[in-house]
Amino acid sequence: MNHINKYFNLLSQFKSCTASRLPVFLLFYFLSFPCSSGEEPVFLITGLKSEITHVSQYDLRKVYLGGTAADNPHINKPVLNKKDTELYRQFLKNIMHMTDNGYKRKVIKRIFRQGSDKIIEIHNLNELDQHLKDNPNDLSYITESDIKHMLNIRTLKKLW
Amino acid sequence: MDTSHITRILILCLGLYSNILSAEVKITGFASFVAGKAISGDEFLADYPKTGIYDKDWSLSPDTSVGIQLTSDISDTTSITVQLTNNGASDFETRSEWAYINYQHSSQLSIQLGRKRLPLYYYSDTFDLGYAYNWIRPPADNYTWQISHYNGISFIYEPQLSSIDILFNLYFGREDSHNNELLSLFSGVPVNETWKNIAGLVSELSGDWYEIRLAHMSSQLDREINNTQSDKDAKQSFDGISINLFYGNFTFLSEFNFYERSLADIEITTHMQSLAYTYKKFTPHITRSEFEQTINSSNGDEHHFTNSIGIRWDYKPNIAFKIQYDKTTDKGITIPVLGDAELFTLGVDIVY
């Protein structure tokens, strides 16, 4: 019980610092959500010869945070498609439920705390196509209009 | 088995394994190059665990560190991780911060055996990784402990609820510190310190805009001052809470910690609050941290606080420049640290 009391004491110290500011913070937070209408469809992709047949939203988020997929042993590594900065931001918002800073913060902590792999970043479609040819069990995402430029990929599902 | 043995064995395993089976060794690393000087007062204690001290002359030693992390997968579920660092405060002697075997039991549970950093504080795990925070160093008054590692076993359980990330880290271990840097500095004679029967639990709950962390640790302490036993099997406990909030460009970081060793009538509270605002690649920040020992029967009264202001410039995705000013007020009479002092530091943090 002593430890529980200590936590409450510590929490009350924190509350006294921030209680009056919390509603303002929350207001800023909810106002900060951008409108997501009018976005081009984006698909989850893997290599043409991939053994992956499905990926749950849970596993997708988990592997992009540097973790291990729960129910899909074939998933190798996630690849961030950074060809388009806006696409990257939308992926973080819609799938990871994070901002760029929040995502970087979590990934770097995990790399140095739990020995996780760095998340691969690719900045052009040709390189991404070649990467998925060489590493067919990796995952990435692309817009619908970019699919036609890719020779060595297979779409797994529409992300949004 | 001491720390160097564990590290050597794991490095040997890692080297043999990668050579024999041509296994991939993943290399990540970090570096912080920091220069600074005390602009008032004689000395400024910037890094308590490693006793990084600035004086009136410019120095690169107290906060400069270089680290490399090697990880190799032994099988689909098992890997070895070794992190070696060179810190200027420790005369650039190579030390192992991490050296452990990781077994991934499931997507949610992993087990580590070996040497790890003792996860008392929010930034304990990434203390040397300057790139991970806005400051030149985590606020010194809040990060004051003489033991910052342990050898043992830890269990990390990570259930996930939608966009909420949860982590529980249960750990058990022991640490033997011969000629402990911080205690020997304060005592003026060699001090050996052992924390044994360490048992701790860290709980983290985080989303994109918030992080809440609770930490509890209990252990027994043995201490020898100048080869004379001063403490034996003394029970001690640590409790801490961290709450971090991220709203748009604003960041609010906080930590409140409580330490108790009842046999020696020692109770210590430390806390830290920091507010930062990110505008494009620049993040100015202000911070206050404080260490206060409740005055006890021995008149122990260590009490110091620091106000800091600084700016971080994210020059490249993996490079950040920083400038920081700190002003420490030392109110301890029976246990003064190094007196009032002001410090100016500038540096660059890199991850690769």
Side-chain angles (χ1 to χ4, degrees):
Chain A
M1 282 303 288
N2 274 344
H3 298 308
I4 293 168
N5 287 335
K6 281 172 201 165
Y7 281 129
F8 276 111
N9 287 338
L10 293 168
L11 193 59
S12 66
Q13 285 182 45
F14 173 79
K15 277 181 180 170
S16 65
C17 291
T18 61
S20 60
R21 297 172 197 163
L22 200 56
V24 180
F25 280 140
L26 290 174
L27 179 65
F28 274 109
Y29 173 68
F30 287 113
L31 288 176
S32 69
F33 279 114
C35 176
S36 61
S37 62
E39 292 165 2
E40 185 182 357
V42 170
F43 289 82
L44 182 67
I45 59 170
T46 185
L48 196 57
K49 295 179 180 174
S50 173
E51 297 163 277
I52 302 167
T53 54
H54 71 283
V55 181
S56 66
Q57 290 297 99
Y58 173 86
D59 272 351
L60 185 57
R61 191 170 183 279
K62 185 103 179 169
V63 296
Y64 269 95
L65 283 173
T68 309
D71 59 0
N72 203 324
H74 298 304
I75 297 175
N76 187 24
K77 289 180 180 174
V79 179
L80 287 169
N81 176 2
K82 285 198 159 179
K83 177 212 164 198
D84 177 352
T85 308
E86 189 52 33
L87 172 63
Y88 166 65
R89 288 201 183 121
Q90 291 295 325
F91 177 78
L92 293 184
K93 190 189 84 172
N94 294 336
I95 304 301
M96 306 304 291
H97 312 293
M98 287 180 187
T99 56
D100 184 25
N101 284 338
Y103 180 66
K104 281 181 185 168
R105 196 169 55 240
K106 288 207 175 189
V107 168
I108 204 158
K109 198 170 173 181
R110 197 180 173 98
I111 290 170
F112 287 99
R113 181 163 75 174
Q114 287 163 261
S116 299
D117 289 346
K118 281 192 278 192
I119 308 294
I120 301 164
E121 298 179 3
I122 289 183
H123 292 82
N124 72 66
L125 287 182
N126 288 339
E127 199 183 328
L128 180 60
D129 193 44
Q130 186 61 42
H131 178 90
L132 291 174
K133 184 181 178 185
D134 298 337
N135 304 276
N137 284 327
D138 283 7
L139 292 174
S140 192
Y141 53 90
I142 54 172
T143 57
E144 187 173 33
S145 58
D146 282 338
I147 291 176
K148 61 179 178 285
H149 302 300
M150 308 288 275
L151 301 172
N152 300 296
I153 64 142
R154 178 160 58 81
T155 59
L156 288 167
K157 67 177 178 181
K158 184 180 174 182
L159 291 175
W160 68 84
Chain B
M1 184 182 291
D2 71 18
T3 305
S4 56
H5 284 126
I6 292 172
T7 310
R8 279 176 200 152
I9 289 168
L10 286 175
I11 291 174
L12 191 64
C13 290
L14 204 146
L16 283 174
Y17 181 77
S18 58
N19 275 329
I20 294 167
L21 299 179
S22 302
E24 181 190 5
V25 176
K26 292 166 279 189
I27 300 173
T28 46
F30 57 88
S32 297
F33 300 99
V34 179
K37 65 177 287 190
I39 53 178
S40 80
D42 293 329
E43 292 180 317
F44 189 104
L45 181 51
D47 183 335
Y48 276 72
K50 295 188 284 285
T51 61
I53 298 173
Y54 288 96
D55 57 23
K56 290 181 174 178
D57 297 322
W58 282 97
S59 174
L60 274 164
S61 295
D63 282 315
T64 292
S65 61
V66 180
I68 187 165
Q69 181 167 297
L70 311 169
T71 303
S72 185
D73 295 331
I74 298 172
S75 70
D76 289 346
T77 54
T78 311
S79 62
I80 294 177
T81 296
V82 174
Q83 188 185 109
L84 303 171
T85 62
N86 274 276
N87 296 290
S90 306
D91 298 326
F92 292 100
E93 176 190 333
T94 302
R95 296 182 174 194
S96 60
E97 299 291 325
W98 306 94
Y100 61 86
I101 295 173
N102 180 64
Y103 170 64
Q104 194 75 38
H105 178 266
S106 67
S107 66
Q108 298 186 335
L109 176 66
S110 61
I111 302 164
Q112 293 89 37
L113 186 68
R115 180 165 180 77
K116 297 188 78 177
R117 289 193 68 101
L118 189 62
L120 296 179
Y121 305 97
Y122 182 84
Y123 288 100
S124 287
D125 289 333
T126 50
F127 189 83
D128 289 321
L129 181 60
Y131 185 84
Y133 39 80
N134 292 327
W135 312 285
I136 293 276
R137 73 199 77 81
D141 301 297
N142 201 51
Y143 287 78
T144 50
W145 298 110
Q146 62 270 28
I147 297 292
S148 47
H149 298 81
Y150 71 101
N151 299 313
I153 188 167
S154 72
F155 302 85
I156 294 181
Y157 179 60
E158 297 177 280
Q160 197 172 1
L161 295 173
S162 181
S163 60
I164 300 172
D165 296 313
I166 302 170
L167 180 145
F168 297 104
N169 180 11
L170 178 67
Y171 59 94
F172 304 94
R174 173 190 174 105
E175 175 72 347
D176 296 281
S177 175
H178 300 286
N179 202 1
N180 183 272
E181 287 167 307
L182 183 62
L183 295 174
S184 300
L185 172 77
F186 281 176
S187 301
V189 292
V191 178
N192 298 330
E193 175 112 330
T194 295
W195 286 16
K196 58 190 182 184
N197 299 321
I198 297 173
L201 177 65
V202 176
S203 312
E204 289 181 5
L205 180 74
S206 62
D208 185 44
W209 63 274
Y210 64 90
E211 292 173 340
I212 300 168
R213 180 183 189 273
L214 302 173
H216 170 74
M217 185 279 300
S218 63
S219 68
Q220 289 176 296
L221 176 151
D222 292 347
R223 182 176 293 170
E224 281 180 7
I225 301 175
N226 212 10
N227 293 320
T228 304
Q229 186 108 44
S230 66
D231 293 274
K232 178 78 175 166
D233 300 334
K235 288 183 181 173
Q236 57 180 355
S237 68
F238 173 94
D239 294 277
I241 181 169
S242 308
I243 299 181
N244 299 334
L245 303 171
F246 309 93
Y247 295 102
N249 293 338
F250 282 100
T251 299
F252 174 75
L253 309 173
S254 67
E255 283 194 55
F256 301 91
N257 305 297
F258 180 76
Y259 169 81
E260 185 174 29
R261 178 150 52 96
S262 49
L263 204 63
D265 191 20
I266 293 174
E267 290 184 358
I268 293 166
T269 54
T270 65
H271 63 89
M272 173 280 286
Q273 298 84 41
S274 181
L275 183 66
Y277 180 84
T278 300
Y279 176 73
K280 295 185 177 175
K281 293 183 175 182
F282 295 92
T283 305
H285 53 88
I286 55 170
T287 302
R288 181 183 174 88
S289 62
E290 185 165 13
F291 177 111
E292 183 169 14
Q293 177 182 359
T294 304
I295 297 174
N296 63 8
S297 50
S298 313
N299 287 325
D301 65 348
E302 185 177 347
H303 183 195
H304 37 90
F305 59 85
T306 303
N307 294 319
S308 308
I309 185 167
I311 189 164
R312 170 186 174 130
W313 172 31
D314 282 289
Y315 170 64
K316 295 280 182 188
N318 64 333
I319 301 172
F321 289 96
K322 297 173 182 175
I323 298 174
Q324 189 167 317
Y325 163 80
D326 301 273
K327 182 177 184 181
T328 286
T329 303
D330 187 354
K331 299 184 81 171
I333 296 169
T334 311
I335 309 179
V337 181
L338 291 176
D340 296 353
E342 291 171 274
L343 174 69
F344 177 75
T345 39
L346 68 167
V348 57
D349 293 311
I350 301 162
V351 288
Y352 57 92

